[in-house]
């Protein structure tokens, strides 16, 4: 859903008029801004910056989403959620919408990250999320992990038989969150969705996950070790030794570094 600048301008004008302020006084109230800037907002020429939107919403006693999307704020959030997670239980959808509105997010990028957080941590896996695996290079011990009953490639796996480490990296066009995989691996109840069809020779004590941190844009390598106590994979400070170069799978390191450079050169428009 695109932002209608004219509609946003009308809502800003309504807030200003309800406060009985001129454009000059309204501009000073929210940031010592000139009349021309307020006029451009109200005419729909451009939108206020994120910080200024927060201030306008605050003085107008409305949510940021209402200021941007009007009465369609809930629908906008639901559309974003359903694009990523499909149709969910209405109770879960309602919870996520309420939490996002209370968070006071403005930019689509901020909202997208929060939706990812909820998908990762709140939405239970289903049979469609269960992984199956296929060897694509016997010599390199390289495997492809897929969900949706083998239809959607999500992960590359490389088996280091010498060091007994399973290396995991997202497939190029994967829509599966590595953070969600971390949740699968770290919980006994959900681990089976990853490991049920994992070939026994690939079940190792240690796992290294290679990805890009969506918040910072940096390369992230997460070392996990199997815990008998929790019957799942856990991260502790003791796992840091796995980040020594001799344990890393350099082709995966190079791939995620290339992705990092590509993201830096061509950042997302969100």
């Amino acid at each position: 859903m695109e932002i209608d600048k004219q509609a946003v301008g009308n809502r800003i004008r309504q807030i200003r008029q309800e406060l009985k302020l001129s454009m000059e006084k309204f501009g000073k109230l929210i940031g010592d801004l000139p009349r021309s800037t307020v006029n451009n907002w109200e005419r729909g020429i451009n939108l206020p910056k994120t910080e200024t939107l927060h201030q306008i919403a605050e003085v107008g006693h409305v949510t940021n989403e209402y200021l941007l999307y009007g009465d369609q704020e809930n629908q906008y959030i639901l559309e974003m959620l359903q694009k990523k997670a499909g149709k969910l239980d209405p109770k879960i959808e309602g919870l996520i919408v309420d939490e996002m509105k209370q968070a006071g997010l403005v930019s689509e990028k901020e909202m997208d990250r929060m939706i990812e957080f909820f998908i990762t941590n709140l939405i239970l896996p289903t049979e469609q999320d269960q992984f199956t695996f296929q060897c694509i290079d016997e010599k390199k011990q390289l495997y492809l992990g897929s969900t949706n009953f083998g239809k959607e490639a999500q992960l590359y796996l490389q088996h280091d038989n010498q060091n007994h480490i399973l290396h995991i990296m997202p497939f190029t066009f994967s829509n599966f969150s590595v953070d969600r995989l971390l949740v699968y691996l770290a919980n006994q109840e959900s681990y089976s969705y990853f490991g049920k069809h994992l070939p026994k020779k690939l079940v190792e004590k240690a796992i290294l996950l290679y990805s890009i941190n969506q918040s910072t844009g940096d390369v992230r390598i997460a070392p996990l070790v199997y815990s008998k106590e929790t019957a799942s994979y856990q991260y502790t400070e003791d796992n840091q030794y796995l980040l020594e170069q001799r344990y890393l799978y350099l082709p995966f390191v190079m791939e995620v570094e290339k992705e990092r450079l590509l993201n830096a050169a061509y950042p997302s428009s969100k």
Side-chain angles (χ1 to χ4, degrees):
M1 183 184 296
E2 295 184 3
I3 298 174
D4 185 336
K5 293 180 181 178
Q6 189 64 58
V8 174
N10 290 337
R11 286 189 282 274
I12 292 174
R13 181 184 296 110
Q14 183 179 3
I15 289 172
R16 178 179 63 80
Q17 291 175 344
E18 287 177 354
L19 293 171
K20 297 182 173 21
L21 296 174
S22 65
M23 290 185 183
E24 290 86 352
K25 290 183 178 180
F26 186 72
K28 288 182 179 180
L29 174 67
I30 60 173
D32 202 21
L33 299 172
R35 179 187 186 281
S36 58
T37 298
V38 178
N39 186 44
N40 285 341
W41 298 337
E42 295 189 4
R43 291 170 60 196
I45 295 176
N46 51 41
L47 293 170
K49 294 180 180 179
T50 299
E51 183 179 345
T52 308
L53 267 170
H54 279 301
Q55 292 174 312
I56 296 173
E58 186 175 346
V59 300
H61 302 291
V62 298
T63 65
N64 298 310
E65 291 78 18
Y66 173 78
L67 195 56
L68 290 173
Y69 309 108
D71 294 331
Q72 298 300 310
E73 56 178 322
N74 285 16
Q75 186 59 35
Y76 176 74
I77 296 173
L78 283 174
E79 285 180 9
M80 289 187 69
L81 178 61
Q82 290 171 6
K83 281 180 183 178
K84 285 185 168 290
K87 189 66 177 174
L88 301 172
D89 184 310
K91 292 182 179 178
I92 294 179
E93 287 184 339
L95 172 65
I96 293 175
V97 169
D98 288 344
E99 288 293 326
M100 292 186 68
K101 287 169 67 175
Q102 289 180 26
L105 305 178
V106 173
S107 73
E108 187 174 346
K109 190 171 185 178
E110 289 176 324
M111 297 173 76
D112 189 68
R113 285 177 179 169
M114 192 165 184
I115 286 174
E116 281 287 354
F117 172 82
F118 283 122
I119 291 174
T120 297
N121 293 282
L122 287 185
I123 300 174
L124 297 175
T126 65
E127 287 187 16
Q128 187 170 317
D129 297 311
Q130 199 163 79
F131 277 86
T132 57
F133 302 94
Q134 173 188 1
C135 182
I136 57 176
D137 192 320
E138 187 70 37
K139 185 177 180 180
K140 295 180 180 178
Q141 284 295 288
L142 195 62
Y143 293 76
L144 190 62
S146 303
T147 57
N148 195 16
F149 308 102
K151 297 176 184 177
E152 296 181 13
Q154 306 288 15
L155 305 166
Y156 288 114
L157 288 79
Q158 193 277 333
H159 184 220
D160 179 353
N161 187 50
Q162 181 178 352
N163 292 309
H164 300 288
I165 300 173
L166 183 62
H167 302 270
I168 302 176
M169 181 185 75
F171 180 69
T172 308
F173 303 107
S174 171
N175 59 11
F176 190 87
S177 166
V178 171
D179 288 330
R180 185 157 172 80
L181 180 60
L182 278 167
V183 173
Y184 279 32
L185 296 173
N187 290 278
Q188 183 178 2
E189 296 80 8
S190 59
Y191 171 72
S192 64
Y193 286 89
F194 174 78
K196 184 176 181 180
H197 298 295
L198 190 69
K200 288 185 178 180
K201 68 177 182 178
L202 301 187
V203 179
E204 294 288 3
K205 181 179 179 181
I207 289 177
L208 285 178
L209 283 177
Y210 302 73
S211 65
I212 301 294
N213 187 310
Q214 296 303 312
S215 298
T216 66
D218 297 328
V219 170
R220 177 179 64 175
I221 303 177
L224 307 172
V225 172
Y226 187 78
S227 166
K228 291 183 179 180
E229 292 181 4
T230 64
S232 62
Y233 287 86
Q234 302 292 322
Y235 168 83
T236 70
E237 291 298 325
D238 294 338
N239 300 351
Q240 291 294 310
Y241 76 92
L242 291 168
L243 298 180
E244 296 176 15
Q245 184 169 337
R246 62 191 172 120
Y247 293 120
L248 300 177
Y249 185 54
L250 293 184
F252 281 7
V253 174
M254 293 170 64
E255 282 301 313
V256 291
E257 175 61 17
K258 284 194 290 186
E259 182 182 349
R260 183 191 71 79
L261 293 172
L262 186 64
N263 290 345
Y266 303 98
S268 171
S269 59
K270 290 183 180 180

